Amino acid sequence: MTKTSNAMWGGRFAAGPDAIMEAINASIGFDRRLAAQDIAGSRAHAAMLAATGIVSDSDADAIREGLLTILSEIEAGEFAFSTALEDIHMNVEARLRELIGAPAGRLHTARSRNDQVAVDLRLWVREQCDAVDTALAALMRALVGQAAQGADWVMPGFTHLQVAQPVTWGHHMLAYVEMFARDRGRFADARARMNESPLGAAALAGTSFPIDRHMTAAALGFDRPMANSLDAVSDRDFALEFLAAASICAMHLSRLAEELVIWSSAQFRFVKMSDRWSTGSSIMPQKRNPDAAELIRAKIGRIFGANVALMTVMKGLPLAYGKDMQEDKEQVFDAADNLMLALAAMTGMVADMTAQKDVLRGAAATGFSTATDLADWLVRTLGLPFREAHHVTGALVAEAEARGGDLSDLPLDAMQAVHHLITADVFTVLGVENSVASRTSYGGTAPANVRAQIARWEEVLK
């Protein structure tokens, strides 16, 4: 079997790893995505080495210019990545040596691949937090737009997927705005916590060189350097927090996707999905399948899986670094890619879908959705205890059901046969529009409330 060796670190070993070891050990196939972050970290490190007198200004300048050349080659697709060189760090350093010669060997002074990869991934995840925040804001704007269009459109609210009480379309849309706002908060919290620099922790114990970790932290946009070198190289909490926030956000996306699948069905017809986000059937010409929503619902499993996978990788690791931690990146990359794709697709679907106002209103008027309003009226107007009012309302629902109508279809004498004190005033609360208009408590579905919340969110999302 052919054997190769990595000359960058191979002085300790007489023979290199065989092909299988090379395959399991190499990460360049996926960590090449960290190239920009790796080069940014190396440029900051080189500038600090010069500022502290550890390397000469001329060597640091050559290093930094050479790194920019490498970045240009990578961005242009002209860089030749080598599996034999294992990872992005050694690929970059080897090319740097080709470009500038001996000064390239000074770049790794007072640094280890352990703190190097930690800073690279931390920078990448930080950028993803910012990207997700932007994508979430776009989705929230699309939802607010839908809410504004139908702030007073009446639709059924559900519990157990059974008609419960009337709500407004705007109120339902804004429920998801609240969910995704919490997601933005979680990513912002995670970003704030991860904004500490591990660079300069070296392998695990720090370094005897007179480095300035505050300088490199500031150069890379971190708030401060991490305070413990062991923690700095072994920590992947920042990636786990990103995945945890991504998982909760993905769950919200899946819930909305599920509703869109249900609502666009022939049985509901609450919404009409745009042709841009639907597909046809290969055999049934009448079909309009909500494939984008279904794919979002499915891709969420990959994000959940990434979270569990990295938790499992980290759960048994002693301090400080173990090669197990090489398995962190693919999980984070895949989850981030799928979350961004799902957010973009959901934003497009929400912006393009058409709510069917008349269908929504008709559905709201079924299933005795104003029964709670009737019970409240019995308490408020007749002074009945709520449990008695609940019993009376249940009897009236049974009577209406037996007659094949809704509560508002019952004649007054039929109602009075159940409770003699009921008056014609009861009909003022039995219409679905009256029902939603009465829900004026803070957070309630009354159109006036909904419009106030729409105005608030439009201001927040400017």
Side-chain angles (χ1 to χ4, degrees):
M1 186 176 287
T2 302
K3 295 193 175 185
T4 60
S5 64
N6 182 349
M8 303 296 288
W9 57 267
R12 164 67 178 82
F13 300 95
D18 63 20
I20 294 175
M21 181 60 194
E22 181 178 288
I24 197 172
N25 192 49
S27 60
I28 190 60
F30 50 86
D31 70 12
R32 66 178 64 184
R33 291 185 66 166
L34 299 174
Q37 292 76 22
D38 191 70
I39 288 170
S42 291
R43 281 174 52 81
H45 186 67
M48 180 275 296
L49 292 176
T52 54
I54 297 171
V55 302
S56 68
D57 288 339
S58 60
D59 281 352
D61 289 342
I63 289 169
R64 297 178 77 204
E65 287 302 312
L67 289 169
L68 283 181
T69 299
I70 293 169
L71 181 61
S72 297
E73 291 175 350
I74 292 172
E75 290 176 342
E78 298 169 353
F79 189 91
F81 292 100
S82 169
T83 303
L85 291 171
E86 295 182 17
D87 54 35
I88 186 62
H89 324 300
M90 306 313 286
N91 270 263
V92 168
E93 189 171 330
R95 176 60 177 149
L96 186 64
R97 179 170 292 178
E98 291 175 356
L99 288 172
I100 68 171
R106 302 189 187 282
L107 173 59
H108 211 54
T109 306
R111 185 177 73 170
S112 163
R113 281 191 294 178
N114 293 356
D115 61 333
Q116 189 176 358
V117 70
V119 77
D120 290 0
L121 186 58
R122 196 172 286 250
L123 287 170
W124 193 92
V125 174
R126 189 178 70 181
E127 291 173 11
Q128 289 303 300
C129 286
D130 294 338
V132 170
D133 181 77
T134 299
L136 279 167
L139 175 54
M140 291 166 68
R141 281 191 287 270
L143 287 162
V144 170
Q146 283 286 348
Q149 184 179 37
D152 58 357
W153 294 1
V154 183
M155 67 174 290
F158 297 91
T159 61
H160 309 279
L161 205 55
Q162 305 295 313
V163 173
Q165 292 177 265
V167 296
T168 60
W169 172 257
H171 196 57
H172 200 114
M173 292 296 98
L174 290 180
Y176 282 104
V177 174
E178 296 286 343
M179 292 184 199
F180 292 124
R182 290 194 295 274
D183 290 325
R184 290 184 79 187
R186 273 182 280 271
F187 283 108
D189 289 345
R191 190 195 192 285
R193 250 185 306 279
M194 73 178 64
N195 207 34
E196 296 183 338
S197 175
L199 191 58
L204 76 162
T207 177
S208 58
F209 288 98
I211 62 173
D212 185 347
R213 293 189 62 209
H214 288 84
M215 178 181 173
T216 52
L220 294 170
F222 290 111
D223 295 331
R224 64 192 70 84
M226 296 182 73
N228 184 288
S229 60
L230 281 168
D231 179 51
V233 298
S234 65
D235 171 52
R236 292 299 183 272
D237 288 1
F238 66 94
L240 288 167
E241 277 202 77
F242 174 81
L243 292 176
S247 294
I248 297 172
C249 181
M251 177 268 293
H252 290 152
L253 287 168
S254 188
R255 294 184 73 179
L256 179 52
E258 173 72 1
E259 294 213 301
L260 295 182
V261 170
I262 293 170
W263 289 352
S264 62
S265 69
Q267 289 72 27
F268 274 73
R269 298 184 296 113
F270 284 7
V271 298
K272 183 177 181 181
M273 304 301 292
S274 163
D275 288 344
R276 296 175 61 199
W277 306 102
S278 307
T279 65
S281 166
S282 63
I283 190 172
M284 294 169 283
Q286 83 282 8
K287 294 290 291 300
R288 181 196 292 267
N289 299 324
D291 282 8
E294 292 171 349
L295 287 166
I296 289 172
R297 194 174 55 185
K299 284 184 176 294
I300 299 320
R302 295 172 66 161
I303 299 171
F304 289 177
N307 191 18
V308 173
L310 186 53
M311 282 281 203
T312 305
V313 167
M314 297 302 299
K315 72 173 182 62
L317 297 187
L319 298 181
Y321 181 84
K323 195 69 176 216
D324 317 50
M325 292 163 70
Q326 183 168 289
E327 291 297 310
D328 57 0
K329 290 171 253 341
E330 286 182 286
Q331 314 300 334
V332 175
F333 294 160
D334 189 69
D337 290 346
N338 280 284
L339 180 61
M340 290 297 292
L341 182 59
L343 284 167
M346 185 60 80
T347 301
M349 279 192 296
V350 169
D352 287 355
M353 72 183 180
T354 303
Q356 306 292 83
K357 178 182 178 181
D358 293 340
V359 176
L360 291 168
R361 201 277 178 198
T366 65
F368 308 103
S369 63
T370 57
T372 305
D373 298 275
L374 174 55
D376 289 346
W377 182 88
L378 292 169
V379 171
R380 188 171 56 249
T381 304
L382 302 186
L384 300 186
F386 184 80
R387 287 302 171 198
E388 183 180 348
H390 187 283
H391 178 77
V392 171
T393 302
L396 290 170
V397 167
E399 180 64 23
E401 192 170 34
R403 290 170 178 254
D406 201 53
L407 285 169
S408 59
D409 300 320
L410 281 176
L412 181 59
D413 61 349
M415 293 189 180
Q416 290 173 337
V418 175
H419 197 287
H420 68 284
L421 293 179
I422 294 176
T423 68
D425 181 65
V426 72
F427 291 102
T428 64
V429 301
L430 294 182
V432 290
E433 285 81 11
N434 292 335
S435 174
V436 296
S438 72
R439 305 292 172 180
T440 56
S441 59
Y442 184 79
T445 191
N449 288 14
V450 173
R451 291 189 178 97
Q453 290 298 319
I454 289 168
R456 176 175 75 88
W457 281 116
E458 285 175 341
E459 184 65 26
V460 169
L461 294 167
K462 276 184 178 179

